Amino acid sequence: MTIRNSLRRQIQYACVALCVPVSASALTLPSPYMVSAGPLGQIGVQGVVSGLGFYQDNPQGTVAGTLASKHVGADISNGLVIVQKSSGLVQFTLEAGAYSFPTLAAGFTSASQTINDFGALPVAYVTLAPSKAFSVEIGKLPTLIGAEDGFTFQNLNIERGLLWDVEPIVSRGVQANYSMGPLSASLSWNDGYYSNRYNTVSGDLTWTIDGSNSLEFYASGNLGKAGGSTTNTYGAGNIADGADDSTIYGLIYTYNHGPLTIEPYLQYMRTPAQHGFSNYGGAVLASYSFTPTLSLAGRVEYLGVSGHPGLGQEPYASGITDLPEDSHAWSVTLTPTYQAGDFFLRGELSYVTASCPTGLGFSGATGQGTTQLRGLIETGFLF
């Protein structure tokens, strides 16, 4: 299976996206344990328990004792149970437990704090599937935006990338899905960056060119104003960064042949004029499976922030890792992965370099660092 192909969305619509990896070398969950639930029929149960340890130079945390301020630390990455019904007219997916969102160039946040983002039930939706080609989902839905998913076990790399950091993760709303031949499409009415104001429209269109190539276009935009919302999980926890009022577009090409997958994508995010910036960038994700148990994934990214210093709401003006207007950042990530049965172990080495004309960057309260090197180890069990 490719990193991101046309079947991914169709699988997601069938309520198994959280249980199926998105690439040949991502972690592979075993088949679900089936439970007879009386009138509900057969229900599948799966899960993942994992933790990670890290080293980083130039930590940007300003509060002593927090993970973000430490050079060395450890935490839970996933403590999740997935319950799903994936057959019949009425289906559902529930994912409950603890989780964290380790992200390049962003300070580490403990799982006990991250759970405040979306609660102990981060994904929960009901699916009405009158046919294999058409379905409607209602609830707390994974975003349609971007090439990387929310939780670490779903992705090639342990840390999500710079472009992921400006994208929504989970939105509350309703989503319609339709597939016909090589085309599949989704359209969602939702609350964007979890703002609790339902005025965002998101869409996704995928064309499966052939067995090795696919092309995907996605977009999301706010039809009104987020005005006054303080419940979104983006930036500083308020709408000062302009995320809820933004428009975002992306284009993803995926090539998959045998053990090799390559996926370049481009993304542009525009905020209202009063916020004075735009995010734009590109990334290449790749993976190669050497054996059924050993693989190597890599990611190279560039993210720029246009605008003029002083126009935005610093330090969250860019929507990424404290980068202000007129800044840019590069990143390189390598992630070897070993999985044997239900056990997995993977390491990661990442490097980020940033240009910040106003001095905001890494290295704690001083913010004068322009680079960050990280090493991570994640291990755990899948069931």
Side-chain angles (χ1 to χ4, degrees), residues 183-230:
L183 297 177
S184 61
S186 298
L187 187 64
S188 175
W189 181 276
N190 57 71
D191 67 345
Y193 291 82
Y194 216 66
S195 67
N196 204 30
R197 298 179 71 88
Y198 297 86
N199 51 15
T200 297
V201 174
S202 303
D204 174 277
L205 178 63
T206 300
W207 172 34
T208 302
I209 302 170
D210 55 36
S212 298
N213 300 274
S214 65
L215 190 64
E216 177 181 357
F217 172 75
Y218 60 83
S220 179
N222 194 299
L223 300 183
K225 292 289 183 181
S229 168
T230 59

Side-chain angles (χ1 to χ4, degrees), residues 18-19 21 26-32 45-50 77-78 80 82 152-154 337-346 378-383:
L18 296 176
C19 306
L27 298 176
T28 303
L29 284 166
S31 300
V45 180
Q46 291 177 297
V48 54
V49 177
S50 63
S77 55
N78 296 286
L80 296 166
I82 304 160
T152 63
F153 73 92
Q154 295 176 299
T337 297
Y338 171 80
Q339 182 179 352
D342 298 340
F343 171 78
F344 75 91
L345 173 67
R346 55 183 180 172
E378 184 184 32
T379 187
F381 295 90
L382 311 162
F383 61 90

Side-chain angles (χ1 to χ4, degrees), residues 132-149:
K132 292 183 178 180
F134 178 73
S135 64
V136 177
E137 301 168 347
I138 304 170
K140 297 170 68 173
L141 303 167
T143 184
L144 293 171
I145 305 304
E148 294 179 282
D149 289 302

Side-chain angles (χ1 to χ4, degrees), residues 52-282:
L52 62 80
F54 68 85
Y55 164 80
Q56 61 180 349
D57 65 1
N58 290 334
Q60 58 267 66
T62 58
V63 180
T66 63
L67 284 181
S69 68
K70 294 182 177 181
H71 285 276
V72 178
D75 195 35
I76 296 171
S77 55
N78 296 286
L80 296 166
V81 174
I82 304 160
V83 180
Q84 60 178 3
K85 183 178 185 296
S86 56
S87 62
L89 173 63
V90 180
Q91 307 170 12
F92 63 82
T93 293
L94 303 173
E95 184 167 357
Y99 49 93
S100 61
F101 298 134
T103 306
L104 288 181
F108 282 100
T109 303
S110 68
S112 61
Q113 292 176 294
T114 306
I115 200 171
N116 294 325
D117 289 347
F118 305 113
L121 193 65
V123 174
Y125 57 93
V126 174
T127 300
L128 303 178
S131 70
K132 292 183 178 180
F134 178 73
S135 64
V136 177
E137 301 168 347
I138 304 170
K140 297 170 68 173
L141 303 167
T143 184
L144 293 171
I145 305 304
E148 294 179 282
D149 289 302
F151 305 100
T152 63
F153 73 92
Q154 295 176 299
N155 295 301
L156 299 177
N157 306 108
I158 302 172
E159 293 180 285
R160 273 55 58 94
L162 300 176
L163 273 66
W164 180 89
D165 202 24
V166 305
E167 302 163 358
I169 307 171
V170 172
S171 301
R172 291 166 290 203
V174 58
Q175 178 176 310
N177 316 294
Y178 181 73
S179 62
M180 181 178 64
L183 297 177
S184 61
S186 298
L187 187 64
S188 175
W189 181 276
N190 57 71
D191 67 345
Y193 291 82
Y194 216 66
S195 67
N196 204 30
R197 298 179 71 88
Y198 297 86
N199 51 15
T200 297
V201 174
S202 303
D204 174 277
L205 178 63
T206 300
W207 172 34
T208 302
I209 302 170
D210 55 36
S212 298
N213 300 274
S214 65
L215 190 64
E216 177 181 357
F217 172 75
Y218 60 83
S220 179
N222 194 299
L223 300 183
K225 292 289 183 181
S229 168
T230 59
T231 60
N232 70 309
T233 60
Y234 198 73
N238 55 53
I239 63 165
D241 49 42
D244 284 310
D245 295 326
S246 67
T247 303
I248 190 167
Y249 306 93
L251 185 65
I252 302 172
Y253 166 74
T254 300
Y255 170 80
N256 176 254
H257 183 73
L260 176 65
T261 299
I262 302 175
E263 181 184 65
Y265 80 107
L266 300 172
Q267 184 169 279
Y268 175 75
M269 176 182 179
R270 176 64 181 169
T271 62
Q274 65 266 28
H275 294 283
F277 73 93
S278 297
N279 290 317
Y280 55 93

